[in-house]
Amino acid sequence: MISTKLIVYGRVQGVGFRFYIKTQANKYNINGYIKNLIDGSVEIVAQGQESDLNSFKASIIKGNGFSRVENIEEERFSEKNFSLFSVKY
């Protein structure tokens, strides 16, 4: 199990990105959360198997058709146990 924090920059707020990411997280068995940040970026904390995380990250880059990902910063961290994937407000 791998835990990672992603900060996603680009057009990722106000375009249905959080809902799309929650759907993708469920598809790839990823637990954690997503939340909007005040600077217009989005924070995603994701926990899962490495192959699932790689597929999940590819879906983040692809986006939902309305979003545009310009950059992603990634930082791995010590595992926490998340039981599901949620949208934080």
Side-chain angles (χ1 to χ4, degrees):
M1 189 76 62
I2 296 171
S3 299
T4 188
K5 179 170 81 172
L6 307 165
I7 305 296
V8 184
Y9 298 92
R11 189 173 64 223
V12 292
Q13 289 191 19
V15 292
F17 190 70
R18 288 180 299 171
F19 177 76
Y20 166 75
I21 293 302
K22 184 175 185 341
T23 301
Q24 295 301 303
N26 291 335
K27 177 179 177 179
Y28 293 112
N29 300 310
I30 302 298
N31 293 333
Y33 65 85
I34 183 170
K35 70 176 182 178
N36 286 343
L37 299 178
I38 198 153
D39 67 357
S41 64
V42 174
E43 177 183 86
I44 301 170
V45 172
Q47 182 180 65
Q49 299 301 320
E50 187 162 12
S51 61
D52 292 331
L53 279 171
N54 289 337
S55 297
F56 179 62
K57 286 188 276 187
S59 71
I60 293 169
I61 293 166
K62 179 182 175 195
N64 67 354
F66 300 104
S67 61
R68 185 183 70 246
V69 174
E70 295 173 357
N71 189 32
I72 299 176
E73 294 176 2
E74 182 174 3
E75 176 186 331
R76 296 222 173 159
F77 62 91
S78 299
E79 289 184 27
K80 295 182 181 179
N81 289 318
F82 296 98
S83 59
L84 51 84
F85 193 90
S86 62
V87 175
K88 289 191 174 185
Y89 296 95

